[in-house]
């Protein structure tokens, strides 16, 4: 059984003060509530300390990062390394988000280099950071019926040269670009179709066992109102959520979906 995984992607929103308020509000909402899925928040790096446990028995928020540099250290102004994220106890890192591809020149090959570097950095379970590899087609490609081709190329190139056993542990996130931040969600059937296709591509590349184990998220205007229908789809194992993850009430509804 694949465990559902919901990750809030704050993008460049919620600075340290807002994150601090979010922490305490979420803590109140979570009081005496069991959340039996995997979840995390990908906050801006500078807001991460505000989400860390504030008291000894305070709420533990699993942390994700929105990007990482594949080099260990050195002259890379503005970048953050894998070991720096590990020091923070970061559990996940989003790689190849469409905004990074469109605005910061990330390519399938840079995504591949980052995923390889993250996997290489695993030395013990304590510093295990799970890459969340994002992919998906533009509106133009969708309208031209090119989704399947685009997705295949992205997965082939982003995951090239990896071991089947490592691929089982990573998360991939199908995010049609036309659905991101637009309020236009893919229908559960559309999202399921491409998540299933993605699983078939993983099977072709790494075998059925890996394809059965890898978790596939959907992203693109996921919110409390549509999460249940999306999560009912057999190949959708979670969500990468932007706008609807910014406020504690809405985020709480997402991680307690279907309850
Ligand atoms: P959205 O963003 O939920 O605001 O559409 C999703 C994402 O970009 O990961």
């Amino acid at each position: 059984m694949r465990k559902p995984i919901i990750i809030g992607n704050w993008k460049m929103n919620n600075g340290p003060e807002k994150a601090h308020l979010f922490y305490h509000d979420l803590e109140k909402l979570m009081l005496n509530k069991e959340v039996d899925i995997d979840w995390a928040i990908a906050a801006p790096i500078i807001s991460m300390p505000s989400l860390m446990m504030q008291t000894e028995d305070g709420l533990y928020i699993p942390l994700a990062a929105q990007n990482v540099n594949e080099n260990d250290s050195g002259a890379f102004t503005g970048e953050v390394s894998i070991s720096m994220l590990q020091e923070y106890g970061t559990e996940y890192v989003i790689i190849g988000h469409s905004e990074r591809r469109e605005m910061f020149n990330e390519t399938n090959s840079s995504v591949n280099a980052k995923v390889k570097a993250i996997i290489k950095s695993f030395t013990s379970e304590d510093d295990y950071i799970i890459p969340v590899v994002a992919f998906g087609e533009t509106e133009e490609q969708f309208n031209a019926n090119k989704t399947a081709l685009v997705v295949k190329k992205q997965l082939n190139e982003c995951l090239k040269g990896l071991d089947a056993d490592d691929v089982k542990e990573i998360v991939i996130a199908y995010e049609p670009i036309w659905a991101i931040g637009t309020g236009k969600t893919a229908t559960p059937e559309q999202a399921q179709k491409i998540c299933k296709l993605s699983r078939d591509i993983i099977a072709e590349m790494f075998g059925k066992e890996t394809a059965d184990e890898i978790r596939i998220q959907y992203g693109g205007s996921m919110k409390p109102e549509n999460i249940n229908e999306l999560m009912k789809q057999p190949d959708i194992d979670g969500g990468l959520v932007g706008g609807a993850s910014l406020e504690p009430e809405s985020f709480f509804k997402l991680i307690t979906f279907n309850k």
Side-chain angles (χ1 to χ4, degrees):
M1 258 309 262
R2 296 183 296 264
K3 196 170 185 190
I5 175 164
I6 307 289
I7 299 179
N9 175 15
W10 281 2
K11 310 187 180 186
M12 203 171 72
N13 297 296
N14 288 357
E17 276 181 31
K18 191 114 196 269
H20 192 75
L21 296 174
F22 182 103
Y23 177 93
H24 288 291
D25 287 346
L26 187 65
E27 189 175 47
K28 276 183 220 138
L29 290 164
M30 303 265 282
L31 213 65
N32 306 321
K33 290 271 184 341
E34 285 268 320
V35 175
D36 51 9
I37 63 164
D38 286 339
W39 62 282
I41 294 177
I45 298 283
I46 198 165
S47 302
M48 279 185 169
S50 307
L51 295 181
M52 288 176 181
M53 271 165 77
Q54 311 283 319
T55 56
E56 212 174 300
D57 54 0
L59 173 67
Y60 172 72
I61 298 187
L63 297 177
Q66 301 176 11
N67 180 36
V68 74
N69 187 285
E70 66 274 26
N71 294 288
D72 284 341
S73 61
F76 301 99
T77 302
E79 294 290 275
V80 167
S81 73
I82 298 163
S83 58
M84 291 172 187
L85 293 182
Q86 284 164 335
E87 269 185 50
Y88 256 24
T90 312
E91 296 194 28
Y92 305 91
V93 56
I94 304 168
I95 304 290
H97 189 279
S98 61
E99 285 148 22
R100 296 217 51 91
R101 291 176 188 259
E102 281 178 359
M103 292 184 265
F104 304 100
N105 304 323
E106 294 232 359
T107 60
N108 291 338
S109 107
S110 66
V111 169
N112 184 248
K114 289 180 184 202
V115 177
K116 281 185 174 153
I118 294 167
I119 287 172
K120 215 173 109 203
S121 76
F122 296 166
T123 50
S124 77
E125 283 206 2
D126 292 343
D127 57 16
Y128 207 96
I129 299 184
I130 297 179
V132 178
V133 179
F135 62 100
E137 80 284 7
T138 62
E139 180 150 40
E140 206 184 358
Q141 291 164 336
F142 176 75
N143 290 336
N145 265 328
K146 290 201 176 131
T147 302
L149 269 178
V150 171
V151 162
K152 187 166 172 35
K153 184 170 160 55
Q154 286 176 323
L155 288 175
N156 282 169
E157 294 182 6
C158 292
L159 306 181
K160 197 169 78 186
L162 299 179
D163 284 344
D165 279 344
D166 293 326
V167 175
K168 278 181 195 166
E169 308 294 333
I170 73 171
V171 175
I172 57 174
Y174 168 58
E175 298 207 300
I177 296 171
W178 47 270
I180 295 179
T182 58
K184 260 199 253 170
T185 321
T187 64
E189 295 72 30
Q190 277 169 335
Q192 160 59 22
K193 187 173 149 204
I194 305 305
C195 289
K196 163 84 171 69
L197 169 77
S198 306
R199 201 176 297 288
D200 291 344
I201 296 167
I202 299 293
E204 236 173 68
M205 295 177 73
F206 302 102
K208 187 171 178 316
E209 200 190 316
T210 300
D212 285 342
E213 285 190 35
I214 192 171
R215 290 184 290 179
I216 306 181
Q217 295 178 315
Y218 164 78
S221 301
M222 194 185 242
K223 46 189 177 250
E225 296 77 36
N226 61 23
I227 189 170
N228 287 349
E229 282 311 307
L230 287 160
M231 290 300 293
K232 272 185 200 147
Q233 304 304 312
D235 287 287
I236 301 181
D237 308 313
L240 188 53
V241 190
S245 72
L246 294 175
E247 298 297 334
E249 293 76 16
S250 167
F251 185 70
F252 176 71
K253 284 185 191 153
L254 291 167
I255 58 176
T256 52
F257 74 93
N258 214 5
K259 299 268 157 67

